[in-house]
Amino acid sequence: MIRTLFVDAGGVLYNNINEETDFLDRVADRYGVDRRRLARRVQASAPQYESGAHTVHEVIARLVAEERRPPVGTRAEAHWLDRAYLDSVRAYGNSFRALSELRATRPELTLVLTNNEAEHWDRLKDEVHGHFALFDVLCSSWRTGLVKPAPAFFAEALRGCRATAAETLLVDDRATVLRVGAGLGMRTLHVSAPEVLADRLGAAVRGGVRPSAR
């Protein structure tokens, strides 16, 4: 029986900003740096801000400065970056409703947020869309200091929730993450498109079949 639900945010509750929008292109154009190079470097550096080791503003300012461009770490530029980020965010209303309905019909379930995200931007999205309220426990990467798909991330989340892998359903859009969770004994639900969560969440929680992580 499923007693705990681990739910990703990007790709499940929201779009994936870096991969699906022109956000990083807008940043590159503002500071006159190469779009593809900046995108690659931000992706490679993402664990630094997702784990909370550095703020997202610090990481992007450093990457831009290393291109021999003027430093960008001012309050005005941080505000511009936040606005550009929020302008790119799209919340999936059906996914929010699916989780809200599940909370109402299955109050005994423990819902856990297990996303990779910078703390600052996780909180900004929550201020606008209120996704934190859907969950009983926040195990975002910035809370644990660990980043998916590291097995240690899930070990820490399970420990923090006093949950067992066999009684946990892992919901994510990344097959690499799901494979790690399945290897630890979790059931998995692959959200390959926004509508999948609303269509399959109830059955995945009720049923005993492990959905494919491919």
Side-chain angles (χ1 to χ4, degrees):
M1 178 182 293
I2 299 299
R3 300 183 184 276
T4 306
L5 197 65
F6 283 1
V7 183
D8 185 32
V12 177
L13 297 177
Y14 300 97
N15 56 338
N16 283 306
I17 306 302
N18 289 349
E19 296 89 346
E20 300 176 19
T21 77
D22 67 348
F23 169 67
L24 291 179
D25 287 346
R26 293 171 64 186
V27 175
D29 292 349
R30 183 172 178 86
Y31 301 113
V33 299
D34 182 83
R35 286 181 171 187
R36 291 184 180 180
R37 177 172 167 79
L38 181 66
R40 287 195 303 268
R41 299 190 71 200
V42 169
Q43 295 285 39
S45 301
Q48 296 179 22
Y49 59 74
E50 290 171 347
S51 67
H54 299 277
T55 70
V56 68
H57 295 131
E58 289 170 345
V59 171
I60 292 180
R62 174 176 56 78
L63 294 178
V64 172
E66 287 175 358
E67 299 290 327
R68 296 191 175 89
R69 300 292 172 178
V72 299
T74 66
R75 182 174 297 179
E77 291 305 300
H79 179 72
W80 178 87
L81 197 65
D82 290 344
R83 288 310 316 165
Y85 181 85
L86 285 176
D87 286 347
S88 299
V89 170
R90 299 292 178 269
Y92 299 145
N94 286 342
S95 295
F96 274 69
R97 282 190 288 275
L99 283 183
S100 295
E101 290 171 2
L102 184 66
R103 285 185 62 89
T105 58
R106 293 289 303 276
E108 76 280 7
L109 284 175
T110 300
L111 273 62
V112 185
L113 180 63
T114 52
N115 62 326
N116 287 346
E117 181 59 287
E119 177 179 3
H120 183 69
W121 282 343
D122 215 7
R123 293 189 182 281
L124 281 183
K125 288 201 293 274
D126 179 62
E127 288 175 8
V128 176
H129 300 287
H131 65 290
F132 286 178
L134 297 172
F135 298 96
D136 301 297
V137 181
L138 303 182
C139 280
S140 298
S141 54
W142 53 268
R143 276 278 178 96
T144 65
L146 300 162
V147 177
K148 295 182 301 184
F153 175 95
F154 294 112
E156 177 62 21
L158 289 168
R159 186 199 63 78
C161 302
R162 298 182 181 179
T164 65
E167 296 176 327
T168 299
L169 175 67
L170 171 62
V171 180
D172 208 287
D173 66 315
R174 293 171 56 196
T176 53
V177 171
L178 295 171
R179 281 194 290 270
V180 172
L184 295 172
M186 299 181 198
R187 301 186 186 279
T188 61
L189 174 60
H190 187 194
V191 179
S192 55
E195 59 272 15
V196 170
L197 187 70
D199 290 345
R200 297 183 58 193
L201 180 60
V205 170
R206 291 191 302 272
V209 177
R210 187 189 305 279
S212 173
R214 294 194 301 271

